[in-house]
Amino acid sequence: MEISIHEIDRQAKYKLLIGCIIPRPIAWVTTVGSDGVVNAAPFSYFNVASIEPMMVSIAVMRKPGSQMKDTARNIQQTKEFVVNMVDVHNVDVMNQTSADYPSAVSEVESLGLEQVPAALVKAPRLAASRIHFECKLHQIVELGSPVTSDLILGEVVHVHVADELYHAGRIDPKAFAPVSRLAGHTYAELGELFDRPRPVYSPESEQK
C-alpha cells in the first residue's frame, strides 16, 4: 500500500497517524485560566522532548477557525501547567474530562476531582493521579497555515511520584499500570514486558 498524503483529506490523515503511531502516552493537563477557572484535559500527542533541560512536548489541536483550545490558551497566558499521568485507576474520570466543556466551566469542579497544590506552579495537581510533572512554558510553536495546532514545549521544574511506584531510582511499570491511547475510542494497558539490551558496536561484529 502506497499512500500519497497530498491525495488524502484531513480525516484520512488523522486516522492514519493515530492508527499507526501507537501506543501513545496521555498527558492529563491541568491549567488555570486568567479568570481563575481550573481546566483539565487529556492529550495523547505527548512525549519526552529533552532530558537536560528536562522537557516534555504536547501538541494541542486548534478548534475550527484556528481558535486555541482552553489548555493552550491558559498555558500561553500563565506560562505554566501540570501533567498528571494516566493509569488504570484514573482512566475513566480522565476520559470524562475530554468532553467539550464551555470555557467558563471547570471540568475539575464539575466532576468533583480532588485538587492538590503544586510545589512551584499555580495550576493544581489532581489527586487521582500518582505521577505529576509541574511545568513552565518554554515555547509554543504554531503549526500550519492557518494555524491548526499548538506544539507546547514545557520545562519540568518539579516531579511528584507516589512512593509505591518508585524503587531504587526507577519507576515500577507494573505498579504504575499506565494506560495509553490507540485509535478511535480504544485504550491499552501494558502487555507482556521484555528486554532487548542495546548492543555495543565493534568492527569485528560486522558481517563481511
Side-chain angles (χ1 to χ4, degrees), residues 38 161 180:
V38 177
V161 179
S180 60

Side-chain angles (χ1 to χ4, degrees), residues 114-158:
E114 181 182 352
Q115 302 176 51
V116 183
L120 300 178
V121 303
K122 184 178 180 181
R125 298 182 288 136
L126 297 177
S129 178
R130 295 179 296 164
I131 298 177
H132 313 88
F133 295 100
E134 297 186 24
C135 301
K136 295 281 190 178
L137 176 63
H138 174 75
Q139 184 180 3
I140 295 181
V141 181
E142 296 182 340
L143 304 177
S145 180
V147 180
T148 58
S149 177
D150 295 294
L151 177 61
I152 297 168
L153 300 176
E155 182 173 355
V156 178
V157 295
H158 198 81

Side-chain angles (χ1 to χ4, degrees), residues 41-61:
F43 301 92
S44 68
Y45 298 177
F46 162 61
N47 220 310
V48 175
S50 171
I51 297 172
E52 193 65 63
M54 190 172 178
M55 299 179 71
V56 296
S57 65
I58 304 168
V60 182
M61 300 298 106

